[in-house]
């Protein structure tokens, strides 16, 4: 994984967004060396607190699920990128 992330780092922003709580996410990222690599950098890390709930009817049943507000990424990365709704 380290070689892969090092290879794409010059071409892509690397961000982590997980539906896990920060407590467990930080443990795993630390174990994997994601936060200390000298070959590539993580732009930002978001946990489940960045998500919001939506409710709807699926096959006649009331369902709730978490949604990632992608506008949050565009806002955080606005110095390097434009949102899809704005021309590059």
């Amino acid at each position: 994984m380290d070689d892969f992330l090092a290879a794409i780092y010059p071409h892509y922003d690397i961000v982590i967004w997980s539906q896990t709580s920060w407590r467990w996410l930080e443990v795993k990222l630390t174990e994997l060396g994601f936060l200390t690599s000298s070959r590539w950098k993580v732009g930002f890390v978001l946990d489940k607190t960045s998500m919001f709930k939506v409710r709807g009817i699926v096959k006649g049943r009331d369902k709730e699920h978490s949604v990632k507000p992608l506008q949050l990424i565009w806002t955080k990365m606005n110095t390097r990128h434009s949102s899809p709704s704005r021309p590059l």
Side-chain angles (χ1 to χ4, degrees):
M1 179 62 88
D2 190 61
D3 288 340
F4 171 73
L5 292 172
I8 67 165
Y9 181 62
H11 310 285
Y12 297 96
D13 292 310
I14 299 171
V15 301
I16 309 293
W17 195 333
S18 175
Q19 196 169 347
T20 306
S21 69
W22 175 252
R23 177 179 166 195
W24 297 113
L25 181 56
E26 183 181 26
V27 167
K28 285 300 172 192
L29 293 175
T30 300
E31 285 177 0
L32 295 169
F34 274 42
L35 304 177
T36 57
S37 176
S38 61
R39 299 175 65 197
W40 49 273
K41 301 290 179 224
V42 173
F44 58 88
V45 178
L46 297 173
D47 69 357
K48 69 179 184 178
T49 60
S50 301
M51 301 173 81
F52 63 92
K53 303 280 186 191
V54 293
R55 297 183 70 85
I57 305 296
V58 177
K59 296 184 180 179
R61 297 177 64 194
D62 189 30
K63 289 280 203 176
E64 179 179 275
H65 60 96
S66 298
V67 175
K68 295 175 180 176
L70 296 179
Q71 186 61 40
L72 182 60
I73 289 177
W74 293 113
T75 300
K76 288 192 172 295
M77 302 299 284
N78 70 356
T79 58
R80 296 184 57 189
H81 305 287
S82 296
S83 122
S85 63
R86 291 179 279 165
L88 292 174

